[in-house]
Amino acid sequence: MASTPSATAGDALPLARRALADGRLVAEQTASAPPFGNACFVLLFAEDFDGLDRQIALAFDDARSRGSAFAFVTASLGISMSDLLRGDLARAIAHADAALSTWPELKRTQVADRWCSAAVCFLVWGLLDWGDVDRARGLVGEWAGLGDLDSAELGLIGVARGLVAAADGDDEDALADFLAYGEISRRAGYEDRATPWRLFAAQAAIGLQRDRLAVELADEAIAIAATWGTPGGLGTALRVRGLLAGPAEATERLGRAVEVLAGSHYRLELARADYALGVALLRSGRRMDGRAALERALDVATRCGATPLAERAHAELKIAGARPRRPQFSGVASLTASELRIARMAAAELTNRTIAQDLFVTPKTVESHLSNVYRKLGINSRRQLATLLAEYAGEVSGRPASLIG
């Protein structure tokens, strides 16, 4: 139902919750069953992140109890996409990494290929927001040869390739990849209304000064999001459309995007909108308001670990005459994605052996990561670790810490 053009979140969400039945669906059919994945997708697209967190926790439990690599990959992908949208980049990267590293254990099927394609896309997306362009580029080079990227199963690797091209300043190739993915979904008989390929394409079109195409894509994304009726998706589309507005209306459109996103869980997208609004306000001569928006963007981007965005906001503030402190990625924010993933599991009182089994790694690998975590944070116990992670989670997103997976 989530892919039906006329569907709304208000219609689809109660059906998904009823299907999931407070955990009965995963208990009776397992997390490997298509109905479970489909219902969780609706929760994600409807921005019911708390409900999704509960279901993903059950999926991880199911994967561990059955030793199911497929259920583990399914759960990892769900939480990775969720964390990308919420701006928890370190956790999003760690879960996508885990899904991709587990993929070779799956039998090669159409569904497994789809999961692999999604894992590559989510990982590249997160790495680029994090600022690790080199690794993102290497991943695309590694996985682009998996098969036909002009297929529904592997099309998201093409999206990942487009994201890297855009990061490298090659908007022509980026636009071609994003539009190709839209055509792939149409040929497969559905409109992908969840993957933001239209907005990726619109931003590439802006770089090529193809404003008419960019407006068409952004307006289509706005119409889809408005019909579906969730603030994160709508605010994201409004931000991209605001980038195409003339000076007189840019601040109004971007201000509306900020207002809508402020009522969502999309913290990093809110930072992007604040950044764009701040730049527009400065260009229109509203220096104080512009600096305030840029300071908000810098603060949230830093806490999300979005280094490139934080550095752009910092640079704009300096141009505006402010004296912002350079973003400092210390404490929990200094941990690598893998370190943070293992730290969260350790804080949830899982033993090193259990963590190793759950992540399909050796106990020595877990010990090495935890040693690095303790050294970076200046602590020596799991209790201290749990306290620091809870504080960090609250700072990043304003929601309680989640130690899933």
Side-chain angles (χ1 to χ4, degrees):
M1 186 173 187
S3 61
T4 303
S6 61
T8 70
D11 294 331
L13 189 55
L15 296 177
R17 288 171 174 165
R18 191 179 310 154
L20 291 164
D22 292 327
R24 289 199 301 277
L25 178 61
V26 68
E28 294 172 0
Q29 298 190 31
T30 79
S32 302
F36 176 78
N38 292 339
C40 285
F41 171 78
V42 173
L43 297 187
L44 174 67
F45 191 24
E47 300 177 24
D48 180 8
F49 293 113
D50 291 338
L52 180 64
D53 281 348
R54 290 191 292 272
Q55 295 299 324
I56 294 297
L58 294 174
F60 276 121
D61 287 343
D62 173 62
R64 291 162 186 152
S65 66
R66 296 189 297 116
S68 170
F70 189 86
F72 177 81
V73 171
T74 300
S76 295
L77 286 176
I79 205 64
S80 178
M81 183 60 178
S82 170
D83 285 331
L84 274 177
L85 296 176
R86 288 186 282 190
D88 193 339
L89 293 180
R91 195 169 75 156
I93 292 168
H95 280 291
D97 237 337
L100 201 57
S101 64
T102 308
W103 180 79
E105 300 186 26
L106 304 181
K107 181 180 178 181
R108 187 79 185 267
T109 64
Q110 287 185 334
V111 176
D113 279 1
R114 283 179 184 270
W115 271 204
C116 173
S117 179
V120 172
C121 185
F122 298 167
L123 183 52
V124 166
W125 183 354
L127 288 169
L128 291 174
D129 281 346
W130 186 268
D132 194 346
V133 180
D134 288 341
R135 187 176 177 219
R137 191 184 298 114
L139 280 164
V140 167
E142 176 185 354
W143 290 95
L146 185 64
D148 180 12
L149 302 191
D150 193 25
S151 67
E153 289 73 34
L154 299 177
L156 281 173
I157 297 178
V159 174
R161 184 173 62 190
L163 290 171
V164 170
D168 286 338
D170 187 351
D171 289 316
E172 194 74 51
D173 281 355
L175 179 61
D177 275 326
F178 299 142
L179 294 180
Y181 179 77
E183 183 58 30
I184 289 167
S185 68
R186 293 188 188 100
R187 286 204 313 267
Y190 69 97
E191 284 283 346
D192 189 339
R193 301 164 72 239
T195 304
W197 66 267
R198 293 174 182 82
L199 299 179
F200 293 154
Q203 290 175 100
I206 292 171
L208 295 168
Q209 298 184 326
R210 295 180 61 179
D211 289 356
R212 180 175 297 180
L213 174 60
V215 168
E216 178 184 327
L217 289 162
D219 283 348
E220 185 178 356
I222 288 173
I224 289 170
T227 298
W228 182 246
T230 50
L234 178 59
T236 302
L238 290 171
R239 175 188 66 82
V240 175
R241 183 62 178 85
L243 299 176
L244 288 154
E249 62 174 330
T251 54
E252 180 180 348
R253 284 184 176 272
L254 292 169
R256 174 59 179 158
V258 168
E259 179 184 348
V260 172
L261 287 164
S264 78
H265 292 274
Y266 285 35
R267 310 314 298 167
L268 183 52
E269 190 56 45
L270 174 59
R272 291 192 185 97
D274 260 325
Y275 170 79
L277 175 61
V279 171
L281 288 167
L282 290 178
R283 302 300 185 263
S284 67
R286 296 170 58 183
R287 183 173 295 269
M288 294 301 294
D289 289 340
R291 283 170 55 166
L294 287 168
E295 286 167 356
R296 293 194 302 268
L298 175 60
D299 177 55
V300 175
T302 300
R303 288 188 276 122
C304 289
T307 307
L309 179 59
E311 290 180 345
R312 290 198 300 272
H314 183 271
E316 288 289 343
L317 281 165
K318 288 188 69 176
I319 292 172
R323 294 183 177 180
R325 289 185 295 177
R326 181 162 292 281
Q328 296 294 318
F329 297 97
S330 59
V332 175
S334 71
L335 301 180
T336 68
S338 294
E339 288 168 351
L340 183 56
R341 177 174 170 78
I342 288 175
R344 281 174 160 139
M345 296 177 76
E349 300 184 355
L350 297 180
T351 66
N352 289 1
R353 182 174 296 278
T354 299
I355 295 171
Q357 291 173 345
D358 289 349
L359 298 182
F360 303 94
V361 298
T362 67
K364 183 168 288 187
T365 298
V366 175
E367 292 169 7
S368 176
H369 278 308
L370 281 178
S371 177
N372 289 335
V373 168
Y374 285 0
R375 175 178 52 79
K376 288 181 178 181
L377 301 183
I379 60 176
N380 55 23
S381 74
R382 275 170 158 77
R383 178 175 296 180
Q384 291 172 303
L385 181 60
T387 299
L388 288 177
L389 290 178
E391 292 172 352
Y392 176 72
E395 290 172 1
V396 169
S397 61
R399 60 188 169 92
S402 176
L403 302 174
I404 292 174

